[in-house]
Amino acid sequence: MLTPLPTWLSVSDRAAHLRAAADLRGNAGQWAAYESRGHCVVLAGPGSGKTKVLTIKLARLLAEDVAEPRGVACITYNNECARELEGRLAALGVEPGGRVFVGTVHSFSLTQILLPYTKVAKLDLPEDFGVATRTERQAALSDAVRHTLDDAGNPQHWEFRLANYRRSILNRDSPQWRETDPELARLVEAYEAELRKRGLIDFDDMPLLAVRALREKPWLQRALLAKYPVLAVDEYQDLGLPLHRMVMGLCFRAGMRLFAVGDADQSIYGFNGAQPELLRRLSERADVETVRLRLNYRSGSRIVAASKVALGEERGYQAVEGAPLGTVFTHPLAGTYALQARHLVTHLLPQALSRHPGLRYGDVAVLYPAAWIGDPVADSVRQAGISTVRTDGNALYPRASRLMQWLEQCAQWCCGGWRKGEPRFSRLLAEGRRLFAESIRSDDQASDFHRRLIAELWNLRDAGLPLHPWLLEMHAHIVGPFAAGCASLRDEMETLAAFVERTAPTGDCGEMLLGELAGDGGNLDRLTLSSLHSAKGREFAVVFMFGLDAGRLPRNDAGPRQLAEARRLFYVGFTRAKSEVHLIHSTRRSSPLVDEVERHLQESG
């Protein structure tokens, strides 16, 4: 059997965790969360140190409360959040592996419930099922629409409604499932049947099937409790009803101890089923200790004060004593977005850099309500010769892809990282083993992966290599052989195939070099271009919020729930900034949210 990665805490590791914990004593809220003994919910405002508290708490739980071989499971919103948590845990001597699970709710459902227990729990899934790629999902939906509905039009127009219906009504045996929207209920069942005929599940299936299994098989709850007596949840407000039902069953019926962190004011994924009221409801339970983190260590005091106006609610947040003031600028600009972007790049950006000696492009972000609004910014930045990393829907590839993130890190190692130790090869090896865990099940397979990886990377150490042949080599000798047995990577392999095609000599990225892939990894001095949604969880010294026009944020046709979420999205973007926030809008077309902040700035002088 494969020896688990070392996840216990040695004496020196415990000393590291205790030193880190000492930093929490000066903040009453952080210390209360660290000292909590039962179920605990931490309501953490922007910049309040919630990730620091979470990781130190996890290290303490492993050192003091959870005896080997039992461990801790930590669920978070996306793969990038998981990577940040893994990095911080590693600094405290904790490596995800045998005793520690860190990943998304989809990954937890697949790797901890569906793959190990499908047959014994009789979940009626195909033997050796796979996870559908986007192409396969679209084909299954098209067939389901054709067989179920009359004159349905474009099948993909049903995709969003179908997904929301599946996530909102979890009990298929309830009258609500059949009666709320009979047509959608039939379509969902037909779509899932088409997937099963193909031997597939999709991403929404993962938590839905896991919740169903936990509800119907109480012994499965006890099996998970035996492995993980503690369940931690990060970004609780974003994870939706399936995760909430899972928490209710595992923690308040089966007996897992819950440590949840979140902020309902930063819930911005309603289109994916997020329901901020679930976090509020959880925090109000009598059997849960609720801790509030109100100090903002990130933003200047004027930014914190203005962010209250951006949110439209008073939460009692304060900047830490002695924090810089920070500045909020508004810029009404004339002309098209292309002209406004040019002004941002040629005037506003250089001025901001000159006000802060030592500031680099990597400390600055341009955020916008939608990916297409970022296109003219990307064009202007490219014309100015400024390197960027783009994290929206128009990026070269999805930034949440675990496989692409790992390949970026491999590229960084090949482009000088092997000399500097950043990233460390041991980190690439560990993350690769987790990525391909379904195929690496023995010591011999682990050794084979190790040998292949070091041989390939050592022979490809040249930032000037054309990217396409580098990708082909990595695919032929590493990715392809090990991903073949990984059900969870089928969609990511489709993403990689599309990117490989784009980097071919005939593709639109045919001239890309390896160094350009490495540069997108975030370790170099790159200006960040991001949608407001994709910026969540990040922080920058200077933030430019671009395209804040009436009808963009919020949309003209927004209902009450959409208006509330648009305000939260504005608030999230606003609170990414440490020193400066720039609100950029078209002349005489500003968003009403910007107007509120402008009135506050005028009144406060």
Side-chain angles (χ1 to χ4, degrees):
M1 293 295 292
L2 176 63
T3 303
L5 292 170
T7 60
W8 55 89
L9 293 178
S10 67
V11 173
S12 60
D13 294 332
R14 292 184 185 186
H17 134 246
L18 291 173
R19 285 195 300 271
D23 292 339
L24 305 180
R25 286 184 178 273
N27 183 308
Q30 291 182 353
W31 188 250
Y34 176 74
E35 288 281 270
S36 63
R37 294 297 176 182
H39 298 313
C40 181
V41 171
V42 181
L43 301 179
S48 59
K50 62 101 175 171
T51 305
K52 175 181 178 181
V53 171
L54 175 59
T55 51
I56 296 174
K57 179 69 172 183
L58 290 174
R60 179 179 188 173
L61 288 167
L62 287 165
E64 301 176 9
D65 294 1
V66 180
E68 292 186 58
R70 305 175 83 191
V72 173
C74 181
I75 295 174
T76 190
Y77 180 70
N78 59 30
N79 290 320
E80 290 187 276
C81 294
R83 281 186 65 193
E84 181 184 3
L85 287 173
E86 288 176 355
R88 295 207 187 193
L89 285 169
L92 296 173
V94 180
E95 290 284 352
R99 288 186 65 211
V100 183
F101 171 89
V102 179
T104 65
V105 65
H106 297 85
S107 177
F108 181 80
S109 300
L110 180 67
T111 64
Q112 306 300 309
I113 299 174
L114 300 184
L115 288 174
Y117 297 111
T118 289
K119 292 180 181 178
V120 67
K122 299 179 181 177
L123 299 182
D124 296 324
L125 289 177
E127 189 171 352
D128 298 324
F129 65 86
V131 179
T133 66
R134 177 160 183 80
T135 300
E136 291 166 335
R137 296 195 299 270
Q138 290 176 336
L141 179 57
S142 296
D143 287 349
V145 168
R146 187 173 65 255
H147 296 153
T148 308
L149 307 176
D150 296 324
D151 299 323
N154 185 343
Q156 304 314 314
H157 292 165
W158 291 88
E159 189 172 10
F160 181 76
R161 292 179 60 197
L162 178 145
N164 274 343
Y165 201 73
R166 296 172 78 192
R167 297 182 193 125
S168 61
I169 305 174
L170 303 190
N171 187 354
R172 301 284 178 89
D173 297 325
S174 68
Q176 184 186 16
W177 171 257
R178 188 69 55 197
E179 296 170 4
T180 303
D181 192 325
E183 186 177 54
L184 267 179
R186 289 196 307 274
L187 180 58
V188 168
E189 291 168 358
Y191 166 69
E192 292 176 350
E194 291 293 337
L195 285 177
R196 302 302 181 265
K197 283 196 301 187
R198 294 163 166 82
L200 301 170
I201 65 172
D202 70 3
F203 282 97
D204 278 338
D205 270 320
M206 295 177 190
L208 295 176
L209 289 169
V211 168
R212 195 179 312 168
L214 290 168
R215 183 180 68 244
E216 296 174 355
K217 315 288 183 183
W219 61 264
L220 184 51
Q221 298 180 30
R222 295 192 294 272
L224 286 175
L225 173 64
K227 186 174 184 180
Y228 299 121
V230 177
L231 177 65
V233 183
D234 186 26
E235 304 288 4
Y236 197 100
Q237 74 283 349
D238 291 328
L239 289 162
L241 188 58
L243 181 279
H244 185 69
R245 291 282 174 82
M246 201 178 293
V247 166
M248 291 299 103
L250 291 173
C251 298
F252 297 98
R253 285 189 288 276
M256 277 190 186
R257 176 176 164 189
L258 175 67
F259 188 81
V261 181
D263 181 7
D265 293 332
Q266 296 187 69
S267 179
I268 58 174
Y269 297 107
F271 57 89
N272 273 342
Q275 300 180 36
E277 59 271 19
L278 297 177
L279 175 61
R280 296 191 186 101
R281 198 182 306 162
L282 182 65
S283 70
E284 292 167 357
R285 289 180 62 107
D287 52 355
V288 168
E289 178 183 356
T290 297
V291 176
R292 297 180 183 273
L293 303 184
R294 301 185 187 275
L295 283 178
N296 185 325
Y297 291 86
R298 176 189 302 151
S299 303
S301 55
R302 287 176 180 165
I303 295 175
V304 172
S307 72
K308 300 173 187 177
V309 179
L311 180 61
E313 300 279 353
E314 175 56 61
R315 298 287 188 246
Y317 296 137
Q318 297 178 337
V320 294
E321 186 175 350
L325 291 176
T327 313
V328 180
F329 298 89
T330 60
H331 304 284
L333 300 181
T336 64
Y337 283 152
L339 290 173
Q340 294 178 32
R342 197 174 308 154
H343 183 80
L344 188 164
V345 172
T346 58
H347 293 86
L348 302 182
L349 177 59
Q351 290 166 8
L353 293 174
S354 68
R355 282 191 293 271
H356 301 277
L359 202 67
R360 308 191 315 155
Y361 289 126
D363 302 313
V364 181
V366 183
L367 314 180
Y368 28 82
W372 69 268
I373 298 176
D375 290 341
V377 180
D379 291 340
S380 292
V381 169
R382 184 164 48 249
Q383 291 168 14
I386 299 171
S387 297
T388 64
V389 54
R390 189 167 183 180
T391 62
D392 59 38
N394 288 345
L396 280 172
Y397 40 79
R399 300 299 304 176
S401 167
R402 294 179 300 149
L403 176 58
M404 294 305 301
Q405 288 176 351
W406 184 72
L407 286 172
E408 284 179 359
Q409 291 182 303
C410 289
Q412 290 165 15
W413 192 90
C414 290
C415 294
W418 62 278
R419 285 196 191 92
K420 298 178 290 186
E422 183 59 41
R424 301 189 314 275
F425 178 78
S426 60
R427 190 71 178 166
L428 296 181
L429 182 64
E431 292 195 11
R433 282 178 56 177
R434 286 196 293 276
L435 183 65
F436 304 112
E438 295 168 62
S439 293
I440 303 176
R441 298 180 177 274
S442 68
D443 288 336
D444 287 344
Q445 289 168 328
S447 297
D448 182 40
F449 178 73
H450 190 154
R451 285 192 299 269
R452 287 181 184 231
L453 185 61
I454 190 61
E456 286 303 310
L457 296 186
W458 189 256
N459 290 329
L460 296 171
R461 292 169 298 132
D462 184 353
L465 285 173
L467 180 56
H468 184 67
W470 186 89
L471 289 171
L472 292 178
E473 282 289 313
M474 290 293 290
H475 186 282
H477 299 286
I478 305 291
V479 177
F482 288 96
C486 299
S488 61
L489 290 181
R490 296 181 77 251
D491 198 48
E492 301 217 24
M493 290 297 288
E494 189 173 80
T495 295
L496 175 59
F499 184 59
V500 170
E501 187 174 343
R502 293 184 65 186
T503 62
T506 56
D508 63 325
C509 301
E511 297 182 359
M512 277 192 72
L513 302 178
L514 179 60
E516 294 177 75
L517 178 65
D520 270 351
N523 288 337
L524 302 180
D525 188 23
R526 306 288 169 123
L527 179 72
T528 294
L529 307 182
S530 173
S531 67
L532 287 165
H533 283 98
S534 297
K536 189 170 179 296
R538 308 286 301 282
E539 62 179 38
F540 305 91
V542 176
V543 168
F544 294 93
M545 296 175 67
F546 183 82
L548 300 180
D549 292 352
R552 304 287 183 230
L553 189 72
R555 300 193 317 267
N556 287 327
D557 59 348
R561 288 181 67 90
Q562 289 77 27
L563 286 170
E565 183 154 312
R567 183 177 286 280
R568 293 195 295 268
L569 185 59
F570 181 58
Y571 174 69
V572 164
F574 205 98
T575 54
R576 299 310 92 200
K578 300 177 184 178
S579 301
E580 293 185 5
V581 180
H582 296 254
L583 308 179
I584 301 173
H585 61 84
S586 299
T587 305
R588 293 186 295 278
R589 287 181 51 205
S590 59
S591 162
L593 303 177
V594 175
D595 294 340
E596 292 176 11
V597 172
E598 286 189 311
R599 285 194 293 271
H600 161 77
L601 296 174
Q602 291 168 0
E603 293 167 1
S604 62

